[in-house]
Amino acid sequence: MTSPTRTQPVRVLTIVVVVAALAAVVLGALQPVDRPVDRPLSPLDGVCVAAVLAAIAQLAGLRFRLGPDAVSVSWAEAAVVVGFVVAPAGWLPAATLAGTGLAWLLLAWLTGLRNTAEVVHLVASMTLGVAGAALITSLLAGDAPVNSARLHLALVAGAVTYLLITFGLVVLTLALHRDVAPGQIATRVLYAKLPMSVGNVLVGLCAVFALAREPLWLLAFGPALWLLHRTYRFHLRAAEERRMWEAFAVATARLPGTSEADVARAGLRGALDVFGARRAELEVRTDNGHRRYAQDGPGHQDEPGTRSGPAVTRSMAVSGRPVGELTVWLGEPSLPVPQDDAAITAYGEALAGALHDVAAHQRIVELDARAAHDRVHDPLTGLINRLSFGPVGDPVLRAVDRGRHVAVLLLDVVDFRQVNSTLGHRGGDEVLRLVAGRLTDLARPGEVVARTGDDEFALLVPEIAALTDSAGWPHGESSPLPATLRRARELVETLRLPMEVAGVRLAVEVTVGVAVAGAGQIEVSELLRRASLAVGRAKELGITVGTYDSGQDASSTDQLALLAELQDAFVADDQIVLHLQPAVDLVTAAPTGVEALVRWRHPRRGQLSPGDFLPAVERSELLIPFTRRVLDLALAAAANWNASGIDVPVSVNVSARSLTDPTFPAQVTEALRRHRTPASRLVLEITESVAVSEQDIVDEVLARLRSSGVQVSLDDFGTGFSSLASVTRMPVDEIKIDRSFVDEMIDSAAAGAVVRGAVELGARLGVRVVAEGIETVEQRAALIALGCPSAQGYHFCKPMPADKIVQALSQLAAAAPSNVTQLRADGAS
C-alpha cells in the first residue's frame, strides 16, 4: 500500500509502524532456531528463499487506484505461507524486510516513484504483517509436520493475520490521509484484496504440498500463477472502470452552473473524483483573456517538486472554438492506461460544453442587463431617459413633506440642429455629453437629472427654498418661484460657459421651462408636461427662462384635439357655418358683392374665428373636405339671394395650399356644377403671399380658374413686398385695399398715398377696387374723394348669418337700385 501523504498524523503513523517493524525484526532474530526435521531447506537457505519469495511477490503484484492513492495487491500471503515452511519463523520478518525493501527500491527506480516515506511505510507495514503472521502460525503449528492438517490450518491463520494487519494499516492510513469515511475505504480495499488473498493462501498451501511430496510439481505453478495474475488484473481493472464511469456520470451531472467559477470548481472536483487525481488544473480561454483554476486532492499540499504521477493535458473546444485546457495529475507513474486517456478526453469535452454553456448564459445575462439598463438610460450620456424619469422621480417626490414645493426644470438646447450641421453628429453628440456632464455636476444631492429628448434635459428639484412673496400664491403663502427661477438662471449661466468640441470653441445657449407644484399633489410626468409648455412659451416670447401658466393648458389641449373635433364637425350640419358681409357702392351703398367668412360653432369652446383653426386645417389632410364644405355653403347662400333677384357674386378666401394643388380647379368646377351656379358668381380671394409662392403652379391653377369664368380677387393689397408685381404678372378681377391703410389714411399721408395709388392702379388696369374695414363716415368720405368705387366694413354691415343676408341685401338694393356697379363677370382684365 502506498500513501504519499505529508500530513502530520500519517507521519506519526509511519514512524510507529517502522519502529514496530524493526522491533519485530530484532526480536525475531533473537529467537532460537528450532525447526522440525522435515523442513525441506536449511535455515540459511530458507531465509534466502523467503527473502526472494517476498521480493517476487511484490514485483509480480498489482496496484489499483483508491482516489488519489494506489493500493498494492501482491502475492505476499503465498510468500508468507511458503516462507514459514522453508525458513525459521523468527527470521521471516527480517527476510520480508530485505526482500520487499529491495523489490520496492527496484520498483521506485523503474517507475520513477520518488516518495521515500511511502516506500518505507509500505515495507514496514508488510514486515509488521509478516511478524504477526509468523507469531500466530508458530503458536498454532508448534512442531507439526509439513503435511499435517494442523500446520495447514496454522498457515491459513497466519495468512489471515497478515491480511488483517496490512488491511487495517491501509484503512487507517487512507482514513488519516483523505477525508473519506473509513467504512467506505474498507469496503473498497477488501473488495480488491480479498479474492487475491484467498487465492494466495491456496497457492501457498499447494506449494507447500508440492515441496513435501514432489518438488517437480512446482514447475506447473508458472502457467497457473500467470492465469491467476491475469484474472486478478481483469477483476481490479473492471472494478476501477466501473467506479470511474459512475463517478464520471455524477461529476458531469454537477457541471452545469450559473458562473464560470462554479463550473470550473465543479469540473476540478469532478476530475479529482473520477480519475483519483492528486491535482487538477483548468485554463479557461475567452475573448476577455485567460483564467486559471486549480485544486489539489484531499489531504495533498501540492507543490511542483513533490508531485508524483504523470500529468495528462487535453485541449478543450466546442465546434472548433478553443475553450481551454484541462490538466490532470494522476496518482501513479504506471498510469494512465488507455481507458484513462479516453475518460479524460470525454470529461474534457463535457467540461468544455459546460463552460461554453455558462459563457453563453453569462452573455445572455449581460445582454439582458444591458438591455434593461438601456431601456431606462440614455446610451449617449448615461443619464436616465424620459421613460424612467417618472419611475425614478415619483418615489423622490413622495418622500418630500407635503408642505414643501417641488419643481422640474426642462432645458432645451437652442439651435442644436445648427451644431449638428456644423460639427457633424459626432460633434453634436460630444456637445450633449458635455452638457449632461455639467448638469450632473450642478445637480445637488437628491436631485435627478435626465435626458428627455434629442436636445432636452430635465432636472427634478425635490425641495425648493421658498421666499416670502404672496404674489400669485393664495392666502399669502411663501412663493417657491423666485428661488426656482434663480436656480434656472444659474444653470443657464453655467451651461453657456465656453466649451471646446472638435477643435471649435463654442458656447451653448439653453431655454429653460420651469414648473413648480406642491409636493404630494403631482407626479413627475405632469411636472414635465408643464415644463414643456413653459419651454414653448419661452421660445414664443424670445426669453431664456419661462414659467408654466395654467392658461396654456387649455389652448394646448384644444390644439391637440382640434383635428379630431373638426372631423366630427364635418359630420354635423350646424358647426361649420358662414357669416356673410356685403361689399357696397361707396356712393349709393348698393350691394356689389358678398364675402363669405367661415366660423366654427364649437360645442365646447363656442364660436371660433378662422384664425383659431384654419392654420391646423391647412397643415392637415382635412383641407380638401373643408374647402368643399365652405364652397358648398357659400354657393348655397348665393343661390338664395340670386333667387330673390339680387345678382351679386360671393367671395371665398382660398388657402395657399389649394392654389398649389393642380386638382383645385376641378374641385371648384364640380362645386359650381352641384349648385348649378354660373362661374361668374364666384370670386376667389387670394393674398399676396399666395401669389408669389410657387409661381409656376399658382399661375397655372389661376389661369385654369379664370378660363372657367371664376373671378379672382387680390386680398390685403399693399401689405406685401410684391403688390405691383402680383397685379402685373397675374391677371385679377379685383384688388382689396387692406384695412390697415384705411384705418390710418385720415391721419397718415403715407397711408392715404397708398390708398390713392391703389385706386388709380385699379382704374388704369380696369379692375374693381374695394376698400376693407370702413367704420366711420370720415373714412367713407375720404375714399369717395379719392375715387374708390366700393367698400366693405362695419359702417355698412357687420358679418351676419346666412339666414339674414338676403334681407340685408334686399334692403341695400332697394335703397339705390339704379346705382349698383357690379364686379365684371366677363372675365376681362
Side-chain angles (χ1 to χ4, degrees), residues 95 117 148 173 317 351 404 449 527 559 617 620 628:
S148 65
T173 303
L351 181 55
R404 310 283 294 181
V449 182
L527 275 174
Q559 289 296 319
V617 172
S620 71
R628 176 188 175 110

Side-chain angles (χ1 to χ4, degrees), residues 432-747:
L432 292 175
R433 278 192 288 267
L434 290 173
V435 171
R438 290 185 177 182
L439 272 178
T440 302
D441 294 338
L442 291 169
R444 298 168 183 171
E447 297 181 346
V448 180
V449 182
R451 183 186 179 195
T452 56
D454 289 341
D455 54 0
E456 283 186 352
F457 298 87
L459 175 66
L460 173 63
V461 183
E463 292 193 27
I464 305 169
L467 301 177
T468 302
D469 180 8
S470 60
W473 293 86
H475 311 298
E477 294 178 2
S478 58
S479 171
L481 191 57
T484 310
L485 293 177
R486 185 167 59 250
R487 181 72 189 284
R489 294 188 182 97
E490 289 173 359
L491 295 179
V492 171
E493 293 300 324
T494 302
L495 291 176
R496 66 159 53 117
L497 293 176
M499 62 179 66
E500 185 169 331
V501 177
V504 177
R505 186 175 170 83
L506 55 88
V508 172
E509 296 287 341
V510 295
T511 301
V512 183
V514 176
V516 181
Q521 303 174 8
I522 197 169
E523 293 183 345
V524 169
S525 59
E526 176 61 18
L527 275 174
L528 185 63
R529 185 188 70 83
R530 294 181 181 183
S532 180
L533 291 176
V535 167
R537 182 64 174 166
K539 289 181 177 180
E540 290 177 4
L541 298 177
I543 58 179
T544 301
V545 179
T547 58
Y548 168 74
D549 179 5
S550 59
Q552 298 172 346
D553 269 355
S555 60
S556 299
T557 305
D558 290 339
Q559 289 296 319
L560 191 63
L562 190 65
L563 294 179
E565 293 176 339
L566 266 174
Q567 297 183 51
D568 297 336
F570 291 156
V571 177
D573 294 331
D574 59 348
Q575 291 193 32
I576 304 299
V577 297
L578 293 182
H579 280 205
L580 302 161
Q581 185 177 36
V584 300
D585 186 284
L586 266 174
V587 177
T588 65
T592 59
V594 178
E595 182 178 5
L597 303 172
V598 67
R599 299 288 187 269
W600 182 5
R601 292 176 181 169
H602 196 281
R604 179 172 52 85
R605 300 168 58 190
Q607 183 165 287
L608 302 181
S609 61
D612 294 328
F613 59 89
L614 278 183
V617 172
E618 292 180 350
R619 292 192 300 267
S620 71
E621 297 300 321
L622 297 177
L623 180 60
I624 292 178
F626 180 81
T627 303
R628 176 188 175 110
R629 173 65 65 88
V630 172
L631 285 174
D632 284 341
L633 292 174
L635 293 176
N640 289 336
W641 68 65
N642 287 329
S644 299
I646 303 172
D647 189 14
V648 294
V650 62
S651 299
V652 178
N653 288 281
V654 179
S655 165
R657 271 187 61 195
S658 295
L659 289 181
T660 58
D661 181 5
T663 67
F664 180 64
Q667 298 173 31
V668 173
T669 301
E670 176 61 19
L672 292 170
R673 184 193 64 76
R674 285 197 306 271
H675 293 276
R676 299 180 181 179
T677 300
S680 60
R681 291 180 180 171
L682 177 63
V683 180
L684 299 179
E685 294 188 6
I686 63 174
T687 61
E688 290 185 47
S689 60
V690 174
V692 298
S693 63
E694 301 188 44
Q695 293 184 4
D696 294 340
I697 299 177
V698 171
D699 289 350
E700 180 184 353
V701 170
L702 289 176
R704 290 169 60 188
L705 287 170
R706 295 192 79 249
S707 66
S708 67
V710 175
Q711 300 182 67
V712 176
S713 175
L714 184 61
D715 199 10
D716 300 333
F717 183 80
T719 57
F721 296 100
S722 55
S723 299
L724 296 177
S726 298
V727 297
T728 55
R729 177 180 61 82
M730 179 177 58
V732 296
D733 300 283
E734 179 185 75
I735 57 176
K736 300 183 78 171
I737 303 173
D738 188 73
R739 67 175 300 154
S740 61
F741 299 110
V742 175
D743 288 341
E744 299 177 5
M745 63 179 294
I746 302 298
D747 301 322

Side-chain angles (χ1 to χ4, degrees), residues 97-249:
L97 178 62
T100 55
L102 290 174
W104 277 104
L105 288 176
L106 180 61
L107 288 174
W109 178 70
L110 292 175
T111 60
L113 185 62
R114 295 292 182 265
N115 198 320
T116 304
E118 178 182 355
V119 173
V120 170
H121 186 98
L122 179 64
V123 172
S125 297
M126 288 187 290
T127 301
L128 191 59
V130 169
L135 177 61
I136 295 300
T137 304
S138 299
L139 293 175
L140 295 178
D143 295 331
V146 173
N147 292 328
S148 65
R150 179 182 176 183
L151 178 62
H152 290 171
L153 291 175
L155 291 174
V156 171
V160 171
T161 302
Y162 173 85
L163 175 62
L164 292 176
I165 292 174
T166 55
F167 172 77
L169 289 175
V170 166
V171 174
L172 180 59
T173 303
L174 293 179
L176 293 174
H177 182 60
R178 292 172 53 81
D179 186 19
V180 181
Q184 182 180 349
I185 297 175
T187 301
R188 290 198 55 205
V189 174
L190 191 62
Y191 176 81
K193 290 180 71 71
L194 186 59
M196 192 168 183
S197 296
V198 172
N200 287 348
V201 173
L202 294 177
V203 169
L205 292 176
C206 291
V208 169
F209 180 79
L211 283 172
R213 296 288 184 176
E214 182 57 56
L216 291 177
W217 289 0
L218 294 176
L219 297 176
F221 275 60
L225 294 177
W226 181 82
L227 289 175
L228 285 174
H229 192 276
R230 297 287 296 180
T231 302
Y232 294 153
R233 180 183 294 274
F234 176 80
H235 168 74
L236 293 177
R237 183 168 295 172
E240 172 59 18
E241 288 185 10
R242 182 167 59 253
R243 182 210 63 81
M244 183 174 66
W245 289 113
E246 289 173 354
F248 185 97

Side-chain angles (χ1 to χ4, degrees), residues 8 20 37 75 121 149 154 300 336 347 350 402 404 406 426 434 467 529 592 677 683 780 793:
Q8 185 66 27
V37 296
W75 296 91
H121 186 98
H300 288 276
Y347 188 77
R402 288 183 173 269
R404 310 283 294 181
V406 297
R426 182 176 298 179
L434 290 173
L467 301 177
R529 185 188 70 83
T592 59
T677 300
V683 180
R780 179 180 183 183

